[in-house]
Amino acid sequence: MDFKSLKYELQNIIAGKSSSGKTDSIQAAKAYLKTHTKASSQTEGTKPDRTKEERALKEYAEKEHLYIEKENLGVFITSGAEQKIYYKENETELYKVSDAVFYETWSDYFDNLLLHNYFFPDTAYTLTGFYKDGVKLFAVVKQSFVLQTESTNLDLVKNYLLANGFFHKKNNDYFHPALGIILEDLHDENVLTGDGILFFVDTVFYITEDFYK
């Protein structure tokens, strides 16, 4: 596998130079953030201020009419540390509501969505809008519902990732040295198995400095 070409392709996606379908709404939100939080960074590469990011996203949601009312999310199913999950009757997708708690910035959260969509298009995220609980902001994404038919064998997950250039770090965490990305939290609730096929439904990607080298 040509990881150099793959890294270049991923860099273009993260930079917003290449997009299609379900990534468009994610890149649009990220582009708005980049434009409206630029002044908060003193030097190139400095992380944007999360408070200013959130203020910009609220402006963006208001401007683009992207706020979603709670009653329009459907029926609450379950929640984890990173999100709450809702389901609407007769729909084939789930609504996932996240405050991006695993990420230092909202931009990092959007990068995670973009990387997930590239590596796992069968369970790609679509950013449908935002939800506000008081002053707290949440992103609302949709993802295809996966029918789990059997327990996930984590050794199969490990073998799949190893075959694609990822190295096992510890527990359910992996690192791709050639790409400079980290992939974590791949336990058996985040990787489901349906009819013998692995479906990565919730991933946690991080970009390291090596990603841009």
Side-chain angles (χ1 to χ4, degrees):
M1 186 178 293
D2 184 0
F3 290 127
K4 185 175 181 181
S5 296
L6 176 55
K7 179 188 273 193
Y8 180 73
E9 185 175 359
L10 291 174
Q11 288 172 344
N12 280 336
I13 291 172
I14 294 300
K17 297 177 182 178
S18 173
S19 67
S20 63
K22 294 185 176 182
T23 67
D24 291 348
S25 59
I26 303 167
Q27 288 182 322
K30 188 183 173 188
Y32 190 92
L33 275 184
K34 184 177 180 180
T35 301
H36 291 78
T37 60
K38 198 171 184 180
S40 68
S41 296
Q42 299 301 312
T43 59
E44 189 68 28
T46 301
K47 289 281 188 181
D49 181 272
R50 187 179 170 109
T51 302
K52 292 184 178 181
E53 278 192 315
E54 193 148 312
R55 188 181 305 129
L57 282 177
K58 288 176 180 177
E59 292 172 357
Y60 176 67
E62 192 74 40
K63 178 182 176 182
E64 300 296 329
H65 309 289
L66 291 174
Y67 275 124
I68 298 173
E69 298 296 328
K70 188 174 183 178
E71 55 267 26
N72 293 327
L73 294 173
V75 178
F76 172 75
I77 297 177
T78 187
S79 64
E82 74 278 23
Q83 63 192 357
K84 295 181 179 179
I85 303 175
Y86 296 82
Y87 171 71
K88 277 187 177 181
E89 190 175 359
N90 299 322
E91 290 199 8
T92 59
E93 294 179 302
L94 298 173
Y95 286 84
K96 297 188 172 184
V97 180
S98 174
D99 62 355
V101 66
F102 285 169
Y103 301 92
E104 185 178 351
T105 68
W106 277 98
S107 295
D108 290 341
Y109 168 73
F110 292 136
D111 287 345
N112 166 69
L113 298 182
L114 292 170
L115 290 173
H116 177 99
N117 286 4
Y118 182 89
F119 285 102
F120 310 115
D122 288 344
T123 56
Y125 294 107
T126 301
L127 178 66
T128 61
F130 298 88
Y131 165 70
K132 247 191 338 186
D133 184 2
V135 297
K136 193 172 180 63
L137 184 70
F138 298 82
V140 180
V141 298
K142 284 202 301 186
Q143 185 183 54
S144 295
F145 173 76
V146 174
L147 180 61
Q148 184 174 12
T149 60
E150 59 202 89
S151 298
T152 295
N153 184 335
L154 292 179
D155 285 335
L156 294 180
V157 175
K158 182 178 179 179
N159 291 338
Y160 173 82
L161 292 171
L162 289 174
N164 285 278
F166 287 88
F167 284 70
H168 184 236
K169 292 172 59 182
K170 62 178 181 177
N171 302 325
N172 302 308
D173 301 339
Y174 296 83
F175 173 59
H176 200 303
L179 299 179
I181 56 176
I182 296 168
L183 177 54
E184 296 185 347
D185 209 31
L186 296 180
H187 54 73
D188 58 3
E189 292 181 359
N190 288 343
V191 184
L192 304 181
T193 303
D195 296 327
I197 300 173
L198 295 175
F199 292 94
F200 292 73
V201 294
D202 290 313
T203 56
V204 180
F205 278 101
Y206 296 108
I207 292 175
T208 72
E209 291 181 358
D210 289 337
F211 177 78
Y212 296 102
K213 294 180 180 178

